Amino acid sequence: MASSNLLSSSTFLSLSPKFPKGRTGSAGALLLLSQPKPRKAPNLWRSFTLATPKYSTNLLRFRSETRAVGGTEVQESSAGDDALVGEDSAAFELGEQKLASWVYFTVILGAVLFALDALWINPSTGYGAAFISAVSSISESPEVVVLILVLIFAVIHSGLASLRDTFEKLIGERAYRVLFAGVSLPLAVSSIVYFINHRYDGTQLWQVQSVPGVHQLVWLSSFISFFFLYPSTFNLLEVAAVDKPKMHLWETGIMRITRHPQMVGQVIWCLAHTLWIGNSVAVAASIGLIGHHLFGVWNGDRRLAARYGDAFAAVKSRTSIVPFAAILDGRQRVPKDYHKEFLRLPYLTITALTLGAYFAHPLMQASSFGLHW
């Protein structure tokens, strides 16, 4: 999915007080014929490995077929609930990585950050201050301003996501990703910086920062939220358009818990930070962000259904929006070695970045204050 979180990249910034229709079947048939036939069940079962070489989860498939849909190869099967039709999320094989690709990634990342600073953040050359000034002129209320900023981001971000198929046909996948990021990123930065600078404005509704255990609860909730927030950014090379970007139909890992982890992560993050800050600005920001992500639930399902058809219908039937609901009612069968779907480099990277962002949040606050947005 092509969606991003707005304020959660400022992890724990406020934790210090005041400081698939039709089947081709040919590829699957060839793959099936190439497998050794089990002695007790010839022509029926084969093993499919999910995960990196070190951490693998073996699932049985029943007469599986492989087909390409929307540029992404998905697995399709006539078996019951245990057969996966989507992709294995967070799979990462070091042996398949190319040094040149990561060199390109570093160069592109540097170019993007330079352009973002020159064209948007830098007070002398960028347009970010003018944008914030224009929005702030609409109302003197920081609650209204933060809601408008989130609304602008939501309309542009979700609008471009909805037009993804059209734009990719016109300009290609990589050019679309550049356009999408080039428009979304400055708007996200503006909303984040404004929220940081005004998070203690507004009306104080409650004050629980001194209550024992609240800081630990907010910290743990925020930490957990990041494992839900970023399931679609596992392949950083696609994010930077080094690899051709794809709309993925993930089915393992966090997707077994909820089909819309980014929405769940955003709700957790918003509730935790609203509890900690306890004022009207935090409430307004949370209302805007949660509303945007709830819309994303409907819009995301709609787009995946249009792209993947029957394959998405199968995934939808055994997953849930509400966390753990499909597991509790038996529609989702979790493998015995489910933990191995999380013992992968992308999840370890999220852990490291989340901890890094927490310890670096004083620097983030100082940088935001320096912009005077």
Side-chain angles (χ1 to χ4, degrees):
M1 290 183 166
S3 62
S4 64
N5 172 50
L6 243 180
L7 301 182
S8 57
S9 57
S10 55
T11 319
F12 324 124
L13 290 172
S14 52
L15 293 186
S16 56
K18 276 282 189 188
F19 295 87
K21 297 176 181 180
R23 303 180 177 181
T24 61
S26 57
L30 290 175
L31 184 58
L32 182 61
L33 292 174
S34 66
Q35 301 298 314
K37 296 181 179 180
R39 296 179 180 178
K40 294 185 179 180
N43 298 321
L44 292 180
W45 300 91
R46 74 177 176 87
S47 174
F48 183 75
T49 300
L50 302 173
T52 57
K54 186 175 181 180
Y55 305 108
S56 63
T57 303
N58 293 320
L59 298 178
L60 291 178
R61 289 195 160 246
F62 183 70
R63 294 188 178 179
S64 165
E65 296 178 348
T66 303
R67 70 186 183 108
V69 182
T72 300
E73 191 174 82
V74 299
Q75 295 294 330
E76 196 171 25
S77 175
S78 59
D81 293 339
D82 290 336
L84 298 178
V85 298
E87 297 178 75
D88 184 26
S89 61
F92 184 91
E93 295 189 18
L94 186 61
E96 295 182 357
Q97 304 303 305
K98 297 179 180 179
L99 179 60
S101 296
W102 289 103
V103 171
Y104 293 148
F105 172 82
T106 303
V107 172
I108 291 172
L109 179 62
V112 168
L113 294 178
F114 177 82
L116 180 65
D117 178 68
L119 300 176
W120 198 257
I121 297 176
N122 193 309
S124 60
T125 60
Y127 294 94
F131 172 71
I132 293 293
S133 178
V135 175
S136 298
S137 67
I138 298 175
S139 174
E140 294 182 355
S141 168
E143 297 90 344
V144 174
V145 173
V146 77
L147 274 174
I148 293 175
L149 288 172
V150 173
L151 179 62
I152 292 173
F153 172 84
V155 170
I156 299 299
H157 185 80
S158 293
L160 285 175
S162 298
L163 295 172
R164 177 173 182 165
D165 289 345
T166 300
F167 274 101
E168 286 185 343
K169 291 177 182 177
L170 292 175
I171 62 177
E173 292 89 341
R174 286 186 171 89
Y176 165 79
R177 177 54 59 88
V178 172
L179 172 66
F180 183 80
V183 175
S184 298
L185 188 57
L187 297 177
V189 169
S190 297
S191 300
I192 292 170
V193 171
Y194 185 87
F195 174 74
I196 294 173
N197 289 346
H198 297 272
R199 70 191 186 282
Y200 285 116
D201 295 346
T203 303
Q204 195 70 34
L205 303 175
W206 59 80
Q207 179 61 261
V208 297
Q209 293 181 359
S210 61
V211 175
V214 170
H215 180 274
Q216 290 79 3
L217 174 63
V218 172
W219 191 96
L220 181 61
S221 299
S222 300
F223 182 82
I224 293 173
S225 74
F226 273 72
F227 287 91
F228 288 88
L229 278 165
Y230 295 108
S232 59
T233 56
F234 286 140
N235 190 345
L236 294 178
L237 297 180
E238 284 187 27
V239 174
V242 176
D243 289 349
K244 184 179 292 186
K246 302 173 184 177
M247 183 187 294
H248 293 277
L249 182 62
W250 303 119
E251 195 177 358
T252 63
I254 204 74
M255 296 296 176
R256 296 186 187 274
I257 297 174
T258 171
R259 189 169 68 253
H260 289 281
Q262 189 168 359
M263 179 275 294
V264 173
Q266 186 66 81
V267 170
I268 295 173
W269 189 94
C270 286
L271 292 179
H273 284 73
T274 300
L275 172 66
W276 180 258
I277 299 173
N279 66 18
S280 54
V281 173
V283 171
S286 294
I287 290 173
L289 286 169
I290 292 175
H292 174 216
H293 283 77
L294 289 176
F295 170 79
V297 168
W298 171 83
N299 196 36
D301 278 357
R302 179 188 65 82
R303 293 168 55 223
L304 284 171
R307 176 70 67 99
Y308 289 107
D310 292 341
F312 172 70
V315 172
K316 183 178 180 181
S317 69
R318 55 176 173 250
T319 56
S320 61
I321 297 173
V322 178
F324 300 103
I327 296 175
L328 293 176
D329 64 23
R331 289 181 291 122
Q332 174 64 235
R333 300 181 183 179
V334 178
K336 293 181 179 180
D337 52 355
Y338 179 48
H339 66 282
K340 293 181 180 179
E341 294 184 4
F342 290 92
L343 295 177
R344 297 173 172 179
L345 184 60
Y347 283 112
L348 297 177
T349 302
I350 290 174
T351 302
L353 292 177
T354 302
L355 291 174
Y358 171 71
F359 291 112
H361 80 273
L363 178 61
M364 295 180 183
Q365 292 175 356
S367 299
S368 297
F369 294 155
L371 291 176
H372 304 291
W373 286 3

